[in-house]
Amino acid sequence: MEFRQLEYFIAVAEELSFGRAAARLNISQPAVSRQIALLEEELNTELFDATQKTRHKRIVLTEEGSYFYQEALKILRQSKEMTDGLERLRTRRKTVNVGYCAGLPGESVTLALDFLNQRLPAFELKLQAFDSLYEMYEALKKDEILFATGLDTGSVPAEMDTVVLQEGRVQVCMSVQHPLAQEERLNMHQLKNEKWIECSALPGRFSERVSQQVSDFGLLAGLAERGMGLGAVPSFYRLEVSAICRINLFSEGAHGKVISCRQTLLFRKNGNSSLVRQVRDSC
């Protein structure tokens, strides 16, 4: 028995005419009659009353035909539901959780999303914000998120792998009126007694005198402009504040090196996810 035969039978049963059923199915009438005959032969049952058809030229369902009609409708309905369900499963985009540290500029978040979308086009990326890098790292370790993006100055937990999305230097942001604003470069020693504005999005303690804690580089720049302290910002971020200056920060010593800063995509080094392997192998 084929689904096609059930469709033909239902058309005849509803139209009560082989001709109208053939027109509805857009096939020839002999083709419909042949399939109905094959179906009755296979079932060893008369579905249409042969006497009514021969003597009165009427198409009438037998008792068995009426029963079979109801069951055939159920079968085709279930078949459609099954194929529709499979199609939904096939086309549904599975979700991948991506973490980021609150305060990370939107341009950085979208940079990470673009990077993942290019490599995982069949998946929907769902963002999850974290108040601190520590919380974000813990979520990665527990597989609560598969990927994360954040800033660092060159070090991340040993169990994490990274892909560098952008890199630059740590710069000290301050008011143009600040005494250090005339310096061409700064080192950590020069900052030890300065009031410091700390942004949770950028790890590292650059001064012992933290006077303000913020989660946004724009707010940090605004406070620095008002002389409320100094703060560290990545060189690759544009700040919409005019009365500030930004000076590269170096490590201590006569031959101190510029302190680098980067944005990375993070994932577990020993993670078993095929998606992680797919992203890692693409880099």
Side-chain angles (χ1 to χ4, degrees), residues 133 137 151-155 170 188 196-208 210 213 231-232 249 259:
L133 287 168
Y137 293 153
L151 302 174
D152 64 70
T153 54
S155 63
V170 172
M188 299 286 288
W196 196 256
I197 307 166
E198 188 173 76
C199 182
S200 60
L202 180 61
R205 180 59 60 89
F206 301 98
S207 173
E208 297 303 320
V210 176
Q213 290 184 311
L249 181 60
I259 298 177

Side-chain angles (χ1 to χ4, degrees), residues 107-128:
E107 63 194 79
S108 284
V109 178
T110 54
L111 177 66
L113 292 180
D114 290 344
F115 180 88
L116 287 171
N117 272 323
Q118 290 172 5
R119 290 155 178 81
L120 304 173
F123 293 83
E124 180 178 354
L125 305 178
K126 183 179 179 181
L127 288 171
Q128 184 173 345

Side-chain angles (χ1 to χ4, degrees), residues 3 41 58 60-61 84 90 120-121 140 146 151 164 213 221 227 243 245 249 254 256 262 276:
F3 283 115
E41 182 180 341
R58 293 171 55 197
V60 179
L61 285 167
D84 288 348
R90 187 183 66 81
L120 304 173
L140 272 173
L146 198 56
L151 302 174
V164 177
Q213 290 184 311
C245 65
L249 181 60
R262 61 185 189 169
V276 168

Side-chain angles (χ1 to χ4, degrees), residues 225-242:
E225 182 186 33
R226 289 161 177 76
M228 299 177 66
L230 284 63
V233 297
S235 60
F236 44 77
Y237 287 148
R238 183 175 63 253
L239 298 174
E240 303 295 336
V241 180
S242 57

